[in-house]
């Protein structure tokens, strides 16, 4: 059994409380590392004014995809690889949290996904050209790093695109850096307001939920008021999810799908997926399963 499980996170959330509850029941010691609270030097990490001392066999797992987490994971992988027995998300898999990288990954393994293009200009005529590559307006703009439906909007013109990016870039932040980039993605009108999340863990599919918007929003996230209900996994989705899980070397993730007129499309890989709605809809104790898998 691991001596200790260290969880890297952005801040307090319901998941942490669930992990604490289940860790206590299983007799597992948990420690929390908050990415913007620790001090990272060239040769040590200080948390709550104490130097973190890893012991051989300790497990480090991240449920944060912010910029600081990316640096911290790379640092831990190179600096403490002898002490840490198992670390995930690794420096490769964490890139799936970047939506452009995730959609590129889907295409590379022949998984159907909405047409996606990287935004690399502010010039209106060039933005129109980008949109035309994915079917024109209306289309979806997304911040490459984001979760729970934040940073996603329907845009109808290049001016909408510019205003969205400007607003995001001007948003007040309390950290000294940011990984800011954006994509345009074709709008699948027939799927608006409904998506499917498949939760995978340790090479297995835990189950699937259907999320449906309750307020007319094209986004179905539970965090935005969407309703979650358990569904039987369609064979087409199951086959796609297993391939994504295997090719992506995923330990834990929520893989999102939408249904289009041309079949199911893989939308995103959420390597820090929330599971409140999933636990409520399915009755599956996700927190306990994750802790058990980490120990194993």
């Amino acid at each position: 059994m691991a001596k200790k499980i260290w969880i890297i996170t952005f801040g307090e959330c319901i998941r942490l409380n669930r992990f604490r509850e289940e860790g206590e029941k299983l007799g597992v010691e948990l420690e929390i590392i908050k990415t913007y609270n620790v001090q990272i030097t060239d040769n040590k990490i200080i948390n709550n004014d104490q130097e973190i001392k890893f012991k051989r066999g300790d497990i480090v797992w991240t449920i944060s995809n912010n910029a600081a987490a990316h640096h911290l994971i790379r640092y831990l992988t190179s600096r403490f690889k002898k002490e840490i027995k198992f670390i995930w998300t690794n420096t490769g898999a964490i890139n799936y949290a970047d939506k452009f990288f995730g959609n590129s990954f889907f295409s590379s393994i022949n998984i159907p996904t909405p047409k996606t293009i990287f935004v690399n200009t502010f010039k209106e005529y060039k933005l129109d050209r980008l949109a035309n590559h994915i079917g024109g307006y209306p289309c979806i703009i997304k911040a490459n790093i984001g979760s729970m439906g934040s940073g996603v909007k329907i845009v109808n013109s290049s001016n909408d695109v510019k205003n969205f990016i400007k607003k995001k870039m001007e948003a007040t932040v309390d950290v000294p850096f940011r990984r800011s980039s954006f994509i345009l993605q074709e709008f699948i009108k027939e799927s608006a307001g409904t998506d499917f999340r498949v939760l995978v863990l340790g090479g297995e599919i835990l189950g699937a939920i259907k999320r449906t918007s309750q307020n007319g929003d094209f986004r179905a996230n539970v965090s935005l008021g969407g309703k979650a209900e358990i569904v039987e996994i369609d064979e087409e989705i199951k086959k796609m999810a297993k391939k994504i899980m295997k090719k992506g070397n995923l330990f834990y993730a929520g893989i999102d799908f939408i249904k289009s007129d041309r079949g199911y499309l893989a939308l995103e890989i959420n390597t820090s997926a929330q599971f409140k709605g999933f636990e409520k809809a399915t009755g599956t104790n996700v927190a306990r399963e994750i802790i058990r898998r980490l120990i194993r």
Side-chain angles (χ1 to χ4, degrees):
M1 180 177 289
K3 294 180 175 65
K4 186 181 293 187
I5 295 177
W6 300 82
I7 297 180
I8 298 174
T9 182
F10 176 83
E12 288 296 322
C13 60
I14 292 174
R15 286 177 300 176
L16 287 184
N17 291 331
R18 292 287 297 112
F19 288 136
R20 290 184 180 110
E21 289 172 3
E22 297 305 324
E24 185 176 349
K25 293 176 184 177
L26 294 170
V28 177
E29 185 178 0
L30 297 178
E31 290 284 350
I32 307 301
I33 301 176
K34 297 180 182 179
T35 54
Y36 292 126
N37 287 353
V38 296
Q39 293 82 53
I40 308 169
T41 77
D42 60 302
N43 62 0
K44 60 185 176 182
I45 302 175
I46 301 169
N47 190 37
N48 296 324
D49 297 322
Q50 297 290 324
E51 181 182 350
I52 291 178
K53 295 288 188 180
F54 295 108
K55 296 181 180 179
R56 189 175 297 275
D58 282 2
I59 290 172
V60 176
W61 184 50
T62 178
I63 56 173
S64 177
N65 290 321
N66 58 50
H70 286 243
H71 287 279
L72 183 55
I73 288 297
R74 285 195 291 268
Y75 177 84
L76 290 173
T77 303
S78 62
R79 184 79 193 181
F80 299 102
K81 58 185 177 183
K82 292 183 180 179
E83 291 87 352
I84 298 170
K85 178 181 179 183
F86 174 85
I87 184 167
W88 201 94
T89 306
N90 59 55
T91 54
I94 199 171
N95 285 327
Y96 296 132
D98 182 296
K99 293 177 175 56
F100 180 74
F101 186 93
N103 284 102
S104 299
F105 168 68
F106 292 148
S107 294
S108 73
I109 60 173
N110 297 315
I111 294 291
T113 188
K115 296 174 184 176
T116 303
I117 195 163
F118 188 79
V119 176
N120 61 353
T121 181
F122 279 129
K123 294 185 180 295
E124 291 188 12
Y125 78 94
K126 289 186 177 180
L127 288 171
D128 289 341
R129 187 182 299 169
L130 294 181
N132 288 337
H133 276 291
I134 59 170
Y137 301 111
C139 60
I140 306 295
I141 187 167
K142 295 181 177 180
N144 266 325
I145 300 295
S147 60
M148 297 184 288
S150 63
V152 181
K153 187 178 181 181
I154 296 176
V155 288
N156 294 287
S157 66
S158 58
N159 193 52
D160 284 354
V161 174
K162 291 173 64 176
N163 287 337
F164 177 89
I165 294 175
K166 182 180 179 181
K167 185 177 180 180
K168 282 293 178 183
M169 297 294 283
E170 290 177 348
T172 301
V173 294
D174 58 358
V175 294
F177 55 87
R178 181 192 293 176
R179 296 174 70 243
S180 296
S181 56
F182 303 87
I183 58 173
L184 295 180
Q185 198 167 71
E186 70 171 313
F187 177 43
I188 310 297
K189 184 177 180 180
E190 61 270 22
S191 74
T194 302
D195 68 13
F196 302 86
R197 166 158 291 185
V198 178
L199 216 61
V200 299
L201 173 66
E204 297 180 2
I205 295 176
L206 289 181
I209 57 173
K210 178 181 179 181
R211 303 186 299 187
T212 308
S213 172
Q214 301 297 294
N215 55 12
D217 197 323
F218 75 98
R219 299 165 297 179
N221 304 70
V222 173
S223 58
L224 298 176
K227 178 183 177 182
E229 56 184 317
I230 188 172
V231 292
E232 288 292 327
I233 302 177
D234 185 286
E235 284 300 319
E236 184 179 355
I237 290 184
K238 184 183 294 186
K239 184 177 180 180
M240 293 165 66
K242 286 183 176 179
K243 186 175 184 180
I244 292 168
M245 184 169 40
K246 181 178 180 180
K247 295 290 186 180
N249 190 28
L250 300 177
F251 168 67
Y252 168 77
I255 308 174
D256 294 344
F257 297 87
I258 55 176
K259 191 170 186 179
S260 73
D261 290 339
R262 61 182 187 265
Y264 287 104
L265 305 176
L267 197 61
E268 293 179 10
I269 298 174
N270 297 277
T271 52
S272 61
Q274 301 280 349
F275 50 75
K276 178 182 177 182
F278 187 92
E279 285 193 329
K280 183 177 180 180
T282 66
T284 301
N285 191 327
V286 177
R288 181 176 61 194
E289 291 301 315
I290 289 174
I291 295 297
R292 284 177 170 174
R293 290 281 181 172
L294 287 171
I295 295 171
R296 192 181 306 171

